Amino acid sequence: MASLLYRLGRFSFRRRKRVVAVWLLLLVVLGGAAATLMGPTSDKFTMPGTESQRALDSLQEQFPQASGTTGTIVIAAPEGAKLDKAAVAPVVQDAAAVDGVVGAVDPFQAGAVSEDGRYALVQVQFEAVADEVTDAQRAAYEKVGADADADGLRVEHGGEVLNAEVEVGSTEAIGVLIAAGVLVVTFGSLVAAGMTLLNALVAVAAGMAGLFAVSSVVELTSTAPILALMLGLAVGIDYSLFITSRHRQYLTEGVDAEEAAGRAVGTAGSAVVFAGATVVIALAGLTVVNIPFLSVMGLAAAGTVAVAVLVALTLLPALLGFAGDRVLPRKQRDGHASADDGHASPATSVDLGKPREGFGFRWGRTVTRFRVPVLLVGILGLGVLALPTADMRLALPDAGTAAAGSATREAYDLTSEGFGPGFNGRLIAVVSGDDAASTAVAAKEATERIRGTKDVLAVAPPLLNKQGTTALLTVIPKAGPTDEATEAVVHAVRDRVADIGDFAGAEGADVALSGTTAVGIDVSEKVSDAMLVYLLLVVGLSILLLMLVFRSFLVPLKAALGFLLTIGATFGITVAIFQQGHLAGLLGVDSPGPLVSFLPILLIGILFGLAMDYEVFLVSRMREDFVHGAGAQEATVSGMGHNARVVTAAALIMTAVFGGFIFMPDPIIKSIGFALAVGVLVDAFVVRMALVPAVMSLLGRAAWWLPRAVDRALPNLDIEGESLQRKLVPEHRERAGEKSEETDTVRV
């Protein structure tokens, strides 16, 4: 592996103009494809095999008029006053006249008026699903009731129709700016920092363009491009950072620029390949959950990460060729020039090759010296942070978690104020029968059973399709959509109507419960059922991959156990803020509540891949030094000394990129960005920078133990560049001899 990447790095350096031209051409082609083939993103949450999806499919097939998106207009009279039909009628008429609306229900006819007569709900049914409603139709819907609002009534617009597509705003640029600052401080060179950032931006542009190019044939969720952008930018910067840092190290040791690029790609590039592979495995593994939108999110992000790896291995060495020695700080360029032209004194060459004792070496020695206290404090501290995880609740976000002041949030709050929280969490029971007679009997029986269920506030009269074979029942729970009591209602209703097809006169009929709350419960349960399989697949494959990389049994096991500490602490902190509300105001979380249903499995997938990134970068250098003759303790300190600064910079950059998404108003993206930022901080600075060297110090040579039978069975990937080192040493000596002969001739 190292030898192959070494040749690739030298080729890209030597043919840099062609490599850059190829990538520019590829960007143009992908950009053109994205512009012409890009399809709309979707907010659909399809879940094959669940009851809620069965209900939605039945509506789409048998009752298409009721399968489109819905809107809810809330009307409120001034305090102390009551609404009358004359004031509400124009609002209903205006709503029904909106293009794409198939009907608007008069609240006085539907009984959707509060007991005090001050509040009313106008239900608006659109023909199309939310993704197909045009901006003009949404704008017309939001203007409904403008005259009534001017007359002193309060009119707020909500419902699924206003679920806006998530867009990337200017706040994400904050993370990029912070990343640029960290790169400048780390490298001490604007050229090196700018080149590294440019390389990552090219990777993101290519990955995102390719993603949008296939969106015409693959349905993308609105969060999939955001996640791909988030991860692609973070790993793109990190991978370029690691290779550039190794290239600079070789330059300061007197290696010429082309050779330095080849060696950097051969060694650090090998770590990049396997670090990227762990991320791709973790993200692609999300497909085992069999939730389409989650699979698309994982595959989209995995594709962007794969592009980032490819760009780092090919475009980066080409850019290093253009940059020359300007990737070094100005004070180091003179020393490099003298070493590079062959006229440096032996003393100068030795000084340049000797690693400077920086903070990383001092930190490595401190951790290995006090390894037992470090392990105890680290493990106990992360255990305390993980305690809130036991209280974690999951659900799909509702309008109650929307940004304060937004239209959907105002409508949500006004509905709760006038009717109670349950009206924001309405459930839909779809009754299907073989004929109109059996459907009518089943609908009547289902209505009675549901009304008798604990914590059900009301059940609306059945709404039948033209054939009378499908009935729609609207169920109003007492509690809000994400309340635990509503979850209990969903299970109770499903249990009570499960055998409705056995009721006399309703033979063969079926009742399926759906609605946003029911969908959220089904997502949570399906994710929970797939969690064990997912963990076994992802962790198992990654441990096998790490065994190939490190030729060790204990190092991959240690890496996996360390990740469990990371994920526990990350969940605990996220629950404490987003669910329990501690310090929530600092992050703009107005209404703490359950975490989004798919956050745990998504977080596990992403953080596991990123955690293995730092594991590979740190431990691969330890392995490299150990293979090349260093003792186990010396290799541990050396690995920390050479990589601590770079890993610190990489973690800060990744935290900054993820942290930029915390400022987005969308609660899903906000929680994902926060959890990823916290997870990276915990894993990089506590687990990898403290616990890993402490454990490696305790294990000593045993860390690199692998049964001989397993060692013989596993292919040798040579990530540490041992074969490359054997190849380069004779070549280096030969070149050194040639230079010596030339010098002797001159002297003679």
Side-chain angles (χ1 to χ4, degrees):
M1 174 64 76
S3 299
L4 175 63
L5 293 178
Y6 167 77
R7 292 194 295 271
L8 177 62
R10 293 198 62 171
F11 172 84
S12 298
F13 185 100
R14 195 165 49 250
R15 301 286 187 263
R16 48 187 173 272
K17 292 183 179 180
R18 295 181 183 179
V19 172
V20 170
V22 169
W23 275 108
L24 288 177
L25 178 61
L26 187 60
L27 282 176
V28 171
V29 172
L30 290 175
T36 56
L37 301 176
M38 184 171 63
T41 57
S42 169
D43 288 312
K44 294 179 181 178
F45 291 94
T46 56
M47 295 168 297
T50 61
E51 180 172 332
S52 55
Q53 187 62 46
R54 179 159 53 88
L56 295 175
D57 292 342
S58 178
L59 277 181
Q60 180 69 37
E61 181 180 352
Q62 302 295 332
F63 205 165
Q65 299 90 340
S67 64
T69 191
T70 60
T72 302
I73 300 176
V74 193
I75 308 172
E79 189 172 354
K82 293 185 177 182
L83 294 171
D84 56 42
K85 292 183 178 181
V88 173
V91 178
V92 178
Q93 293 171 2
D94 290 347
V98 172
D99 183 32
V101 171
V102 296
V105 181
D106 188 323
F108 287 94
Q109 294 179 0
V113 179
S114 62
E115 293 182 1
D116 60 5
R118 185 185 169 194
Y119 303 88
L121 296 177
V122 179
Q123 298 299 320
V124 183
Q125 180 68 51
F126 283 78
E127 182 178 6
V129 295
D131 300 326
E132 298 173 358
V133 175
T134 65
D135 292 337
Q137 290 173 331
R138 285 194 180 90
Y141 169 73
E142 291 182 284
K143 290 179 181 178
V144 170
D147 295 338
D149 191 68
D151 292 337
L153 299 180
R154 182 181 174 187
V155 180
E156 300 291 349
H157 305 78
E160 297 175 359
V161 70
L162 292 184
N163 289 343
E165 180 179 322
V166 181
E167 296 180 354
V168 180
S170 59
T171 56
E172 291 73 47
I174 298 175
V176 177
L177 291 176
I178 296 175
V182 173
L183 287 172
V184 172
V185 172
T186 302
F187 288 135
S189 166
L190 287 174
V191 172
M195 182 191 63
T196 302
L197 191 59
L198 175 62
N199 198 76
L201 292 176
V202 169
V204 169
M208 296 295 289
L211 180 61
F212 284 120
V214 301
S215 63
S216 59
V217 294
V218 177
E219 188 175 72
L220 294 181
T221 60
S222 58
T223 52
I226 304 296
L227 181 63
L229 172 64
M230 190 188 300
L231 277 178
L233 188 59
V235 301
I237 295 175
D238 275 9
Y239 295 163
S240 298
L241 168 65
F242 281 108
I243 294 177
T244 302
S245 297
R246 186 63 68 91
H247 174 75
R248 282 159 46 100
Q249 176 190 331
Y250 285 128
L251 288 179
T252 60
E253 292 175 358
V255 179
D256 68 80
E258 181 180 333
E259 180 69 15
R263 294 188 187 186
V265 175
T267 53
S270 296
V272 165
V273 169
F274 288 101
T278 59
V279 179
V280 170
I281 288 173
L283 291 170
L286 291 172
T287 55
V288 304
V289 185
N290 196 28
I291 298 179
F293 76 87
L294 198 56
S295 299
V296 169
M297 288 175 65
L299 292 175
T304 308
V305 170
V307 172
V309 172
L310 185 59
V311 169
L313 297 177
T314 55
L315 180 61
L316 180 58
L319 296 179
L320 290 172
F322 286 110
D325 63 358
R326 286 175 295 175
V327 297
L328 294 173
R330 188 177 298 275
K331 62 183 180 181
Q332 292 184 355
R333 293 177 193 171
D334 293 338
H336 168 252
S338 63
D340 193 37
D341 62 16
H343 297 295
S345 66
T348 303
S349 299
V350 171
D351 291 340
L352 286 172
K354 182 180 179 180
R356 189 171 57 182
E357 292 284 319
F359 171 77
F361 285 94
R362 295 193 299 272
W363 174 252
R365 290 194 177 92
T366 300
V367 171
T368 55
R369 181 181 179 185
F370 300 102
R371 50 186 177 265
V372 174
V374 167
L375 283 172
L376 291 176
V377 172
I379 293 174
L380 291 176
L382 293 179
V384 171
L385 291 176
L387 290 177
T389 305
D391 188 41
M392 183 168 61
R393 293 183 53 243
L394 303 174
L396 287 182
D398 55 39
T401 60
S406 63
T408 53
R409 177 64 179 274
E410 292 294 323
Y412 181 97
D413 291 342
L414 193 60
T415 300
S416 297
E417 177 185 313
F419 296 90
F423 276 77
N424 283 306
R426 282 169 288 186
L427 304 170
I428 300 172
V430 180
V431 184
S432 303
D434 296 330
D435 51 52
S438 62
T439 301
V441 173
K444 181 180 179 181
E445 179 63 20
T447 300
E448 294 299 322
R449 293 187 184 186
I450 295 173
R451 280 177 179 164
T453 304
K454 181 183 178 182
D455 290 330
V456 169
L457 185 65
V459 181
L463 180 64
L464 296 168
N465 65 350
K466 293 181 180 180
Q467 297 79 17
T469 55
T470 301
L472 185 65
L473 305 177
T474 300
V475 182
I476 311 295
K478 291 182 180 179
T482 59
D483 195 285
E484 289 182 277
T486 305
E487 182 176 347
V489 166
V490 170
H491 290 296
V493 168
R494 286 175 170 173
D495 289 341
R496 290 180 66 89
V497 299
D499 60 346
I500 204 79
D502 298 331
F503 187 76
E507 289 82 359
D510 176 72
V511 181
L513 192 67
S514 189
T516 303
T517 301
V519 169
I521 292 170
D522 288 344
V523 169
S524 300
E525 291 179 350
K526 192 159 188 177
V527 168
S528 297
D529 292 341
M531 186 72 74
L532 181 59
V533 175
Y534 176 72
L535 283 174
L536 291 176
L537 174 67
V538 172
V539 175
L541 288 176
S542 296
I543 287 179
L544 179 60
L545 187 62
L546 291 178
M547 286 180 63
L548 292 173
V549 171
F550 296 127
R551 319 298 296 182
S552 166
F553 177 76
L554 295 178
V555 169
L557 184 61
K558 166 195 60 65
L561 293 176
F563 171 71
L564 294 180
L565 294 173
T566 295
I567 204 67
T570 302
F571 281 154
I573 296 171
T574 306
V575 167
I577 293 177
F578 283 83
Q579 181 179 310
Q580 297 176 347
H582 303 295
L583 304 177
L586 296 178
L587 298 178
V589 180
D590 303 304
S591 301
L595 303 182
V596 63
S597 300
F598 53 84
L599 178 61
I601 198 166
L602 188 66
L603 199 61
I604 287 173
I606 296 173
L607 279 183
F608 185 82
L610 299 181
M612 295 307 103
D613 271 9
Y614 297 122
E615 180 78 13
V616 168
F617 289 128
L618 276 175
V619 182
S620 63
R621 184 56 191 251
M622 299 177 190
R623 170 72 179 173
E624 184 177 336
D625 289 345
F626 180 78
V627 168
H628 293 155
Q633 298 294 330
E634 181 186 354
T636 299
V637 174
S638 177
M640 293 299 299
H642 284 98
N643 282 343
R645 179 182 177 87
V646 180
V647 169
T648 297
L652 291 176
I653 288 170
M654 197 167 281
T655 300
V657 172
F658 291 149
F661 291 85
I662 296 174
F663 300 101
M664 293 190 69
D666 184 83
I668 296 179
I669 300 300
K670 183 189 290 288
S671 61
I672 292 175
F674 174 82
L676 288 175
V678 169
V680 167
L681 284 175
V682 170
D683 192 81
F685 293 109
V686 180
V687 176
R688 308 302 156 186
M689 296 282 285
L691 299 185
V692 164
V695 173
M696 295 295 290
S697 178
L698 274 177
L699 294 175
R701 296 184 62 87
W704 309 113
W705 171 79
L706 186 68
R708 290 185 179 181
V710 177
D711 188 36
R712 288 193 297 267
L714 295 177
N716 186 8
L717 300 178
D718 190 29
I719 187 174
E720 66 277 354
E722 184 179 5
S723 61
L724 179 61
Q725 181 78 3
R726 290 196 301 266
K727 174 185 177 183
L728 293 176
V729 168
E731 293 181 359
H732 175 73
R733 289 175 177 171
E734 183 179 345
R735 287 196 298 268
E738 292 173 356
K739 287 184 178 181
S740 177
E741 291 176 3
E742 292 174 2
T743 304
D744 291 341
T745 302
V746 171
R747 288 175 180 173
V748 171

